[in-house]
């Protein structure tokens, strides 16, 4: 892949992917919403295009793809890191509005990004679409993050459909489902204390959380020639957490 767009590149899980892509020499689109500090180190790289856009509509998704494709003269890879947990109440208290917001951030907008990426990739007989899901889908999500889990389950459904329908165009569609990674996202959005983190890690067979380099390695493999016969899959990276 020599033209790769990373959406949600300011996220912690994306942080180890960016230097590998940039150093590879491919034309890298780096999308961020408001946290420019996380990506500004790449701003002066000739093979990098920073794209700022706070996604709140389908039009924003289309705009991001158009801006990148115009600059790179095409696209053959997209990694979609965007996602959010905006509600941490118990599932018995969640409102329909809160549930819709979780679906927009974690399923609808990622799907729309993939849809527009597909349109630009179609006809090239090559392309990779890679979503980020969550391993917790396998056990029904969390009691206080049910909207996030439900939305990611919907996203995994899209992986299967898009992979089947895009195969004849040479476009591979997959997802990576991280387990527990000790990130700011997990601690702050899920409101985890040090005790919560320790208890969560104790549940993992490997007795540790994942690290960002392990996600980066998985992403880079899924973009590589070696993964050319893999499509419609959700690759779980969780240390055996849900065995």
């Amino acid at each position: 892949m020599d033209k790769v767009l990373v959406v949600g590149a300011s996220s912690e899980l994306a942080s180890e992917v960016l230097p590998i892509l940039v150093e590879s020499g491919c034309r890298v689109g780096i999308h961020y919403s408001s946290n420019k500090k996380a990506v500004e180190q790449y701003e002066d790289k000739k093979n990098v295009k920073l794209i700022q856009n706070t996604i709140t509509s389908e039009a924003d998704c289309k705009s991001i793809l158009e801006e990148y494709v115009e600059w790179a003269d095409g696209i053959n890879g997209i990694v979609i890191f965007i996602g959010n947990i905006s509600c941490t109440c118990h599932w018995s208290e969640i409102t329909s509005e809160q549930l819709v917001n979780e679906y927009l951030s974690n399923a609808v907008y990622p799907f729309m990004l993939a849809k527009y990426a597909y349109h630009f990739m179609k006809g090239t007989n090559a392309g990779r679409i890679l979503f980020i899901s969550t391993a917790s889908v396998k056990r029904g999500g969390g009691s206080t993050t049910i909207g996030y889990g439900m939305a990611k389950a919907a996203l995994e459904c899209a992986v299967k459909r898009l992979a089947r329908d895009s195969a004849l165009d040479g476009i591979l569609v997959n997802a990576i489902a991280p387990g527990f990674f000790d990130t700011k996202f997990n601690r702050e959005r899920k409101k985890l204390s040090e005790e919560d983190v320790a208890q969560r890690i104790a549940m993992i067979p490997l007795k540790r959380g994942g690290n960002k380099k392990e996600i980066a390695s998985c992403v880079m493999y899924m973009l590589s020639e070696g993964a050319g016969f893999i499509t419609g899959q959700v690759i779980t990276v969780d240390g055996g957490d849900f065995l």
Side-chain angles (χ1 to χ4, degrees), residues 75-88:
I75 182 172
N76 50 31
I78 184 170
V79 187
I80 303 170
F81 278 97
I82 63 166
N84 189 33
I85 296 175
S86 59
C87 175
T88 55

Side-chain angles (χ1 to χ4, degrees), residues 6 29-30 57 65 79 103 108 119 130 156 174 182 199 202 243:
V6 182
I30 296 180
S57 68
L65 265 297
V79 187
Y103 266 80
V108 176
H119 285 301
L130 188 60
E156 291 187 10
N174 294 287
D182 191 4
Q199 290 176 349
L243 293 174

Side-chain angles (χ1 to χ4, degrees), residues 110-123:
F111 174 83
M112 291 299 168
L113 288 161
K115 182 186 81 167
Y116 287 110
Y118 166 80
H119 285 301
F120 286 114
M121 292 176 184
K122 189 177 180 181

Side-chain angles (χ1 to χ4, degrees), residues 1 128 219-228:
M1 302 290 102
R128 305 288 172 90
V219 168
M220 295 311 299
Y221 174 69
M222 295 306 292
L223 294 175
S224 74
E225 290 183 11

Side-chain angles (χ1 to χ4, degrees), residues 137-149:
V137 165
K138 293 184 177 181
R139 67 174 185 185
S143 296
T144 58
T145 55
I146 187 66
Y148 178 76

Side-chain angles (χ1 to χ4, degrees), residues 191-208:
K191 301 179 180 178
L192 299 181
S193 66
E194 290 293 336
E195 183 179 357
D196 291 332
V197 171
Q199 290 176 349
R200 185 66 186 82
I201 288 174
M203 297 169 61
I204 302 171
L206 291 183
K207 302 305 177 187
R208 67 174 179 86

Side-chain angles (χ1 to χ4, degrees), residues 1-242:
M1 302 290 102
D2 62 352
K3 298 175 182 177
V4 179
L5 172 61
V6 182
V7 185
S10 60
S11 74
E12 285 184 80
L13 288 183
S15 64
E16 295 291 340
V17 174
L18 298 181
I20 301 173
L21 285 173
V22 173
E23 290 168 17
S24 75
C26 75
R27 296 176 70 78
V28 187
I30 296 180
H31 161 267
Y32 68 98
S33 175
S34 57
N35 186 15
K36 185 177 182 180
K37 185 177 180 180
V39 299
E40 63 184 2
Q41 61 184 303
Y42 304 107
E43 190 168 17
D44 295 328
K45 300 288 185 179
K46 292 182 180 180
N47 63 320
V48 169
K49 170 72 172 177
L50 294 191
I51 300 173
Q52 191 284 322
N53 189 311
T54 301
I55 301 174
T56 59
S57 68
E58 178 180 350
D60 291 330
C61 298
K62 183 180 181 183
S63 175
I64 291 167
L65 265 297
E66 289 176 338
E67 184 173 349
Y68 173 75
V69 169
E70 181 179 4
W71 171 78
D73 192 29
I75 182 172
N76 50 31
I78 184 170
V79 187
I80 303 170
F81 278 97
I82 63 166
N84 189 33
I85 296 175
S86 59
C87 175
T88 55
C89 66
H90 190 267
W91 61 263
S92 62
E93 303 294 331
I94 196 169
T95 66
S96 60
E97 182 179 0
Q98 289 169 328
L99 198 57
V100 167
N101 286 337
E102 298 292 78
Y103 266 80
L104 287 171
S105 297
N106 299 294
V108 176
Y109 296 147
F111 174 83
M112 291 299 168
L113 288 161
K115 182 186 81 167
Y116 287 110
Y118 166 80
H119 285 301
F120 286 114
M121 292 176 184
K122 189 177 180 181
T124 66
N125 199 39
R128 305 288 172 90
I129 296 173
L130 188 60
F131 296 103
I132 304 298
S133 183
T134 175
S136 68
V137 165
K138 293 184 177 181
R139 67 174 185 185
S143 296
T144 58
T145 55
I146 187 66
Y148 178 76
M150 289 170 66
K152 291 295 190 181
L155 192 64
E156 291 187 10
C157 174
V159 168
K160 303 295 184 184
R161 185 73 264 158
L162 270 60
R164 181 175 290 276
D165 291 352
S166 303
L168 290 178
D169 295 302
I171 300 169
L172 310 182
V173 185
N174 294 287
I176 295 173
F180 183 78
F181 283 68
D182 191 4
T183 62
K184 183 179 179 181
F185 177 86
N186 269 327
R187 286 178 178 266
E188 294 187 359
R189 299 300 173 86
K190 296 182 181 179
K191 301 179 180 178
L192 299 181
S193 66
E194 290 293 336
E195 183 179 357
D196 291 332
V197 171
Q199 290 176 349
R200 185 66 186 82
I201 288 174
M203 297 169 61
I204 302 171
L206 291 183
K207 302 305 177 187
R208 67 174 179 86
N211 68 65
K212 291 173 284 188
K213 289 186 177 180
E214 289 164 329
I215 286 295
S217 294
C218 190
V219 168
M220 295 311 299
Y221 174 69
M222 295 306 292
L223 294 175
S224 74
E225 290 183 11
F229 201 55
I230 301 173
T231 195
Q233 303 304 306
V234 178
I235 311 298
T236 303
V237 184
D238 70 350
D241 198 9
F242 296 119

